[in-house]
Amino acid sequence: MSIQLDALADLMKGVSAEELKASFFHHLKYSLGLFKAEVSTHDQYMALALAIRDRMVDRMMATEARYEAAGAKRLYYLSMEFLMGRSMGNNLINLGIYDQARAMAETLGLDLEEIRNSEVDAALGNGGLGRLAACFLDSLATLGMPGYGYGINYEYGLFKQEIANGYQEEKPDHWTEKGCPWMLERTNEACMIPLYGYIEHATDRSGEYNPMWMGWKILVGIPHDMPIVGYGGNTVNYLRLYSARSSENFDMRIFNEGDYLKAVEEKMTSETVSKVLYPKDSFEAGRELRLVQEYFFTACALRDITRRVEAKGLSFNALPDMVAIQLNDTHPSLAIAELMRFLVDEKGVPWESAWDITTRTFAFTNHTLLPEAMEKWPQPLFERVLPRHLQILDEINRRFLKKVALRWPNDPVRLQQMSLFEEGPHKQVRMAHLAMAGSHSINGVAELHTHLLKTKVVNDFYNMWPSRFNNKTNGVTQRRWLLKTNPRLADLITSRIGDAWITNLDHLRELEPYAEDAEFRQAFMATKLENKTKLAALINRRARVTVDPSSLFDIHAKRIHEYKRQLLNVMHIIHQYLCVVEDGEEPEVARTYVFAGKAAPGYWAAKQYIKLINNLARVINNDRRTRGLVKVAFIPNYRVSLAEKLIPAADLSEQISTAGMEASGTGNMKFAMNGALTIGTLDGANIEIREEVGKDNIIIFGLRAEQIENHRANQSYDPWDTYRRDVRVRRVVDTFNTDLFCPQEPGLFRWIFQTLLDQGDEYFHLADLPSYIEAQEKASRLFADQDTWARKAVLNVARIGKFSSDRTIRQYADEIWNIRGYETLSPGEEQGKG
Ligand SMILES: *Cc1c(COP(=O)(O)O)cnc(C)c1O
């Protein structure tokens, strides 16, 4: 039966406050089955979200028709993580109906902000990598480009963090408990994914070796689409997330054998595949479920991608002209082996052609410099889960090593280094090597990071294929991270230079002259103070600490990790505290130190840092001698919606990782975009931020990556040197040997003294502490002169244009994907076209 979908679509397309209200009531009644009297704030949220979604669905279909008509090449962004956060505010803004929604709420006596606050974050990611993917989706849609995210519809997102007695406790984040109104389940596009089983070595009719993958189990992938609306509302792409279900066909066999309970048990195990996001920033070895997750979603994505090509009746030789696939880190790189299996085994494409198609389709982004984060799988595990894919990897490797041997004859060490397999008592599959061998592009995420990849981390691969390597410095979307999150500053900017910056962040340069405009500076600092006042209330509610909004807000918000050096920040705070209580030296300006961040549940040292920060807060906040001078607060449960409240209120942005360890960072960009000054090391994108904002408008300290590398190579760093030489350092570090910050738990932080001195201080805290203290003093001096500070803060905003993810996506589109944006017509015009 064919029904008039267009007629249905027209029914509720309107976007006036009145039409929105009609649609809101429609959903309250017919989607939620509610009487007006019993409507909770969450019900209001659900109904409004559904009303908004209707408008997005119409545009999503129009967008699809536009791409289809143009025969557009499409980009598929494969990522284990999409850290979307909340959607309602963003969707309203991008659709251009925020004011209508607020007006509608007002006429009903409701509060739109309260409704928005009842949305739970979609926390389907750990941190930077997942948030980058989310920013990219916003930019792709805003640029009118056919780009789609593919990932896993985790039932449980990243754990919720609670603090008890200063310690982190993890609680499950059952974010979909009440349903996610944005998502469209598409059971009709389910796909079947085989795994496990064994290989039967057979020959075909012509006597060729023809292995058969037999006895597999089947997982079913159910796509759930979250529409992604670009700014202006003309383009709506989608994020497709797969849930795992058991296969009825497979269960039938057991059902028929009469073991009903066993069949249901099997069903339950299948469904654990999309149950929970692994809560780690970096790789954790040997977890079978994680390997299954990686294969599950990449195989689903490839079925979807290849189905489209087949539907057009085209040869697979056309694949690289029709699609580009970007691998967000190594997690989805099994897609390379899966495409080879599909082409060779299922479509009978000869190996050489299949490999050519594959490498021209895939591109790979590396995200880490930490060697322990390089993903590897034990070969026996890999073989058990994916027996046919292991054979394919063997063949890829055999051919690859032949080429290596041609390039470097008689160099067995090089062969060993570059092989897709790590030999030894426990043979392992190296996912990064697979990703690099199977891709035509390999990119880092900041200039320094790409340089280190080429010259250090994967130097052999760079020498083999120099032209494959390129840099794509990360960016963030200004729609979420300025327009939505900091409406006061956004309005101020627009009042002076217009709103072109919303879709072209380079326009912020037009603000530069306003740095010299006293009235503008005052208005700028007034918005900052309003944001700080709002955050002060939140700090009071969430951390039970009273803070002064006029003090310098020094904010360190990101995952807790030794290399990110929250400990260095802590040591400076201890230094400042001791200066007050022991030397009677008052700091130049009052400060509020704010921390937020989650530690991986199995990362003992990081969890100890959280305890240390909370104890430090308790001691300092309760000491009369520092009253009105220093406050410390740890705000629990860092996530996108909390970041949106912290970032607009920051004066100083802590970006103090050990040089050479942070690939890029994106938190650094968000803070500067909101007029915070960065105190940071020459690491990741901080280097490029300095180039843009100018060295007088950023506070840089510490060793450079090269110096750290030299110390490591020559083993020439001795933390005891600094300890003996610098009394400030000695006094701070000695407190870890006392119970000053752990009166209730004697000896709790002694381990820190030991790691810093006896165990070599792997992250160079002591080496950098003196210059960090001096950098912090400089920050205080600058802040004491509010006018000087305002000038610098304004210039940070004016010069941050480069760090829009729109710029990043344009570079990927031009230099890697070869895709473009499509003329966006207003919905009215499209209707006319019919
Ligand atoms: C931006 C962001 C990150 C990444 O922060 P870095 O400072 O780059 O590590 C992590 N988590 C959330 C919630 C973010 O918004």
Side-chain angles (χ1 to χ4, degrees):
M1 185 183 66
S2 141
I3 45 168
Q4 283 296 319
L5 281 172
D6 282 351
L8 283 178
D10 285 344
L11 194 66
M12 297 196 298
K13 224 169 202 166
V15 289
S16 71
E18 274 312 304
E19 287 158 322
L20 210 51
K21 184 165 29 178
S23 180
F24 174 73
F25 280 118
H26 174 91
H27 283 295
L28 273 182
K29 187 170 172 190
Y30 295 107
S31 303
L32 306 175
L34 292 170
F35 296 104
K36 207 178 156 193
E38 51 179 292
V39 173
S40 68
T41 310
H42 188 262
D43 296 330
Q44 295 162 21
Y45 156 72
M46 292 292 281
L48 181 54
L50 290 169
I52 297 167
R53 191 182 79 176
D54 288 346
R55 281 142 189 85
M56 295 201 292
V57 169
D58 286 338
R59 288 148 192 259
M60 186 162 75
M61 289 173 177
T63 304
E64 176 59 32
R66 196 163 60 228
Y67 293 154
E68 208 43 52
K73 180 174 181 182
R74 295 170 195 246
L75 172 267
Y76 297 93
Y77 197 81
L78 269 50
S79 177
M80 279 295 266
E81 306 192 0
F82 288 90
L83 191 49
M84 303 298 286
R86 292 174 178 163
S87 292
M88 182 173 279
N90 203 245
N91 288 341
L92 285 172
I93 289 174
N94 283 8
L95 284 168
I97 58 171
Y98 191 92
D99 291 337
Q100 289 90 321
R102 191 172 42 205
M104 179 212 91
E106 269 168 24
T107 63
L108 296 170
L110 307 174
D111 180 352
L112 180 58
E113 201 176 340
E114 198 186 312
I115 295 174
R116 287 210 288 121
N117 272 328
S118 75
E119 178 171 6
V120 287
D121 278 48
L124 310 185
N126 275 285
L129 174 146
R131 186 53 233 176
L132 182 77
C135 284
F136 280 3
L137 296 183
D138 182 86
S139 286
L140 282 161
T142 297
L143 294 167
M145 291 179 178
Y148 306 88
Y150 275 67
I152 297 176
N153 187 26
Y154 300 107
E155 197 177 322
Y156 290 84
L158 186 61
F159 65 88
K160 282 194 262 187
Q161 180 192 57
E162 288 178 8
I163 302 296
N165 183 31
Y167 288 100
Q168 166 174 300
E169 286 185 350
E170 300 95 23
K171 295 283 149 65
D173 170 44
H174 198 193
W175 75 289
T176 48
E177 190 168 45
K178 295 180 181 170
C180 174
W182 307 112
M183 223 98 95
L184 296 152
E185 183 176 274
R186 299 194 185 277
T187 41
N188 58 324
E189 293 191 42
C191 50
M192 317 270 268
I193 308 299
L195 70 179
Y196 298 101
Y198 57 92
I199 301 295
E200 205 154 87
H201 305 276
T203 48
D204 64 16
R205 261 181 250 149
S206 53
E208 290 279 313
Y209 176 61
N210 186 19
M212 307 266 273
W213 183 9
M214 311 285 283
W216 22 258
K217 294 189 181 195
I218 290 277
L219 277 177
V220 179
I222 312 280
H224 296 253
D225 291 353
M226 184 183 276
I228 305 291
V229 55
Y231 188 78
N234 286 325
T235 297
V236 179
N237 296 330
Y238 57 81
L239 164 62
R240 179 161 280 196
L241 300 175
Y242 286 90
S243 295
R245 294 282 174 270
S246 58
S247 150
E248 302 219 332
N249 291 339
F250 180 69
D251 287 347
M252 278 305 285
R253 194 171 49 89
I254 314 180
F255 274 113
N256 293 341
E257 284 163 13
D259 198 342
Y260 170 74
L261 288 178
K262 179 148 187 289
V264 175
E265 261 172 40
E266 288 268 342
K267 182 172 154 59
M268 280 162 43
T269 4
S270 304
E271 296 182 355
T272 57
V273 169
S274 57
K275 194 62 95 184
V276 59
L277 165 74
Y278 272 87
K280 192 124 170 94
D281 258 338
S282 56
F283 170 69
E284 204 177 340
R287 308 290 286 269
E288 180 166 334
L289 179 58
R290 169 80 180 195
L291 179 63
V292 172
Q293 284 185 337
E294 292 183 357
Y295 176 62
F296 166 69
F297 98 91
T298 51
C300 286
L302 276 183
R303 293 235 182 342
D304 213 43
I305 295 166
T306 51
R307 187 164 53 189
R308 267 175 198 284
V309 177
E310 283 191 299
K312 287 203 165 64
L314 288 167
S315 141
F316 282 101
N317 290 319
L319 190 71
D321 303 317
M322 297 179 65
V323 311
I325 304 179
Q326 190 69 33
L327 304 172
N328 196 24
D329 213 319
T330 56
H331 321 139
S333 49
L334 287 170
I336 291 166
E338 173 65 5
L339 182 58
M340 286 300 288
R341 188 196 64 77
F342 172 79
L343 293 173
V344 173
D345 290 2
E346 290 187 28
K347 299 295 156 187
V349 178
W351 184 280
E352 281 82 10
S353 318
W355 187 242
D356 179 63
I357 293 168
T358 299
T359 52
R360 288 199 294 131
T361 301
F362 283 103
F364 164 58
T365 304
N366 172 289
H367 281 272
T368 183
L369 290 161
L370 306 180
E372 71 267 25
M374 290 290 177
E375 208 180 12
K376 287 171 196 163
W377 292 106
Q379 180 171 313
L381 167 65
F382 194 105
E383 183 165 23
R384 194 154 49 77
V385 178
L386 299 167
R388 178 61 186 140
H389 295 77
L390 184 69
Q391 286 191 316
I392 289 168
L393 288 198
D394 267 324
E395 184 60 16
I396 293 173
N397 197 43
R398 194 180 65 79
R399 291 165 184 253
F400 166 60
L401 291 183
K402 246 162 75 178
K403 288 190 185 142
V404 175
L406 277 177
R407 172 78 169 68
W408 290 286
N410 307 317
D411 193 346
V413 175
R414 180 108 42 177
L415 290 176
Q416 243 178 51
Q417 276 170 206
M418 296 183 73
S419 170
L420 304 199
F421 298 93
E422 188 170 294
E423 302 294 334
H426 302 287
K427 199 168 169 182
Q428 311 226 66
V429 181
R430 295 162 163 162
M431 296 291 271
H433 294 204
L434 169 62
M436 290 187 287
S439 300
H440 65 278
S441 163
I442 302 163
N443 76 281
V445 291
E447 294 286 354
L448 173 68
H449 172 224
T450 302
H451 172 75
L452 293 172
L453 283 180
K454 289 183 188 173
T455 55
K456 303 257 172 345
V457 186
V458 289
N459 178 248
D460 284 334
F461 285 83
Y462 175 63
N463 287 329
M464 178 115 180
W465 299 304
S467 65
R468 287 193 191 182
F469 282 75
N470 64 92
N471 177 60
K472 297 286 170 282
T473 298
N474 284 165
V476 301
T477 166
Q478 66 268 31
R479 268 82 56 187
R480 181 175 292 261
W481 295 108
L482 179 51
L483 181 62
K484 169 176 178 287
T485 212
N486 198 344
R488 293 178 187 90
L489 179 57
D491 285 348
L492 177 65
I493 294 169
T494 299
S495 74
R496 303 303 152 103
I497 65 166
D499 66 1
W501 60 271
I502 297 171
T503 48
N504 180 353
L505 203 61
D506 293 330
H507 279 282
L508 287 180
R509 285 271 172 182
E510 293 159 26
L511 273 183
E512 268 198 38
Y514 290 95
E516 293 308 320
D517 177 334
E519 191 201 315
F520 182 84
R521 287 199 301 273
Q522 214 162 28
F524 176 89
M525 291 305 267
T527 67
K528 185 62 85 180
L529 185 63
E530 279 185 67
N531 295 337
K532 288 166 72 177
T533 305
K534 228 175 150 188
L535 179 60
L538 183 127
I539 292 173
N540 204 325
R541 284 199 308 277
R542 298 280 160 78
R544 301 261 153 243
V545 183
T546 314
V547 305
D548 174 5
S550 71
S551 62
L552 188 164
F553 277 27
D554 179 335
I555 305 191
H556 204 166
K558 50 183 76 241
R559 285 299 288 258
I560 312 286
H561 211 294
E562 284 160 291
Y563 87 81
K564 290 182 183 276
R565 294 202 297 193
Q566 280 88 0
L567 181 58
L568 185 61
N569 189 346
V570 164
M571 288 197 288
H572 165 254
I573 300 172
I574 294 175
H575 166 72
Q576 195 173 45
Y577 175 67
L578 296 175
C579 284
V580 178
V581 302
E582 292 189 355
D583 311 339
E585 256 177 45
E586 288 216 348
E588 192 144 1
V589 295
R591 284 200 187 224
T592 299
Y593 296 97
V594 179
F595 290 87
K598 293 174 181 174
Y603 192 168
W604 183 83
K607 293 176 95 169
Q608 283 279 307
Y609 285 177
I610 292 174
K611 172 66 172 166
L612 173 63
I613 294 164
N614 282 304
N615 279 19
L616 188 76
R618 177 174 272 258
V619 170
I620 294 180
N621 298 341
N622 292 312
D623 192 323
R624 300 170 174 283
R625 297 166 294 181
T626 47
R627 188 170 295 172
L629 301 174
V630 189
K631 283 283 167 70
V632 182
F634 184 93
I635 310 182
N637 206 23
Y638 188 55
R639 62 199 187 286
V640 173
S641 59
L642 178 57
E644 289 176 14
K645 291 166 181 146
L646 295 176
I647 290 169
D651 292 308
L652 198 57
S653 157
E654 296 281 348
Q655 308 299 337
I656 60 178
S657 52
T658 312
M661 304 201 78
E662 187 76 88
S664 162
T666 48
N668 46 4
M669 302 165 186
K670 300 170 197 163
F671 279 98
M673 198 175 281
N674 283 274
L677 265 63
T678 303
I679 182 163
T681 47
L682 286 176
D683 197 17
N686 295 354
I687 297 172
E688 290 156 76
I689 293 176
R690 181 179 69 157
E691 270 166 29
E692 294 295 306
V693 304
K695 64 176 177 31
D696 294 337
N697 303 304
I698 186 168
I699 303 160
I700 295 293
F701 71 94
L703 294 174
R704 293 155 178 269
E706 216 182 271
Q707 295 171 304
I708 301 239
E709 175 58 30
N710 286 338
H711 274 309
R712 291 218 162 110
N714 307 323
Q715 300 190 325
S716 53
Y717 172 49
D718 183 0
W720 284 104
D721 286 347
T722 326
Y723 178 85
R724 293 200 188 94
R725 197 172 344 119
D726 193 311
V727 287
R728 300 168 302 180
V729 172
R730 197 182 323 140
R731 185 165 71 163
V732 169
V733 178
D734 282 344
T735 62
F736 296 127
N737 264 341
T738 73
D739 299 326
L740 182 59
F741 298 111
C742 51
Q744 257 96 56
E745 290 160 275
L748 187 62
F749 301 123
R750 236 168 249 170
W751 71 273
I752 297 177
F753 184 96
Q754 286 157 12
T755 16
L756 290 178
L757 288 159
D758 303 331
Q759 284 154 37
D761 184 18
E762 201 188 328
Y763 299 93
F764 294 80
H765 291 91
L766 298 197
D768 279 351
L769 183 55
S771 67
Y772 182 55
I773 290 173
E774 282 139 35
Q776 283 285 19
E777 284 165 358
K778 182 174 168 192
S780 290
R781 273 199 308 280
L782 292 173
F783 192 77
D785 178 358
Q786 285 280 289
D787 215 36
T788 307
W789 185 273
R791 260 191 199 89
K792 293 179 191 297
V794 170
L795 287 177
N796 267 267
V797 179
R799 296 173 177 176
I800 208 66
K802 171 175 173 184
F803 302 99
S804 166
S805 47
D806 299 345
R807 185 268 312 151
T808 314
I809 286 297
R810 278 206 187 86
Q811 290 182 325
Y812 276 97
D814 293 345
E815 298 163 22
I816 302 176
W817 302 331
N818 192 24
I819 63 163
R820 63 178 185 87
Y822 287 83
E823 204 70 28
T824 55
L825 302 168
S826 72
E829 284 169 291
E830 273 155 10
Q831 264 183 329
K833 276 174 62 183

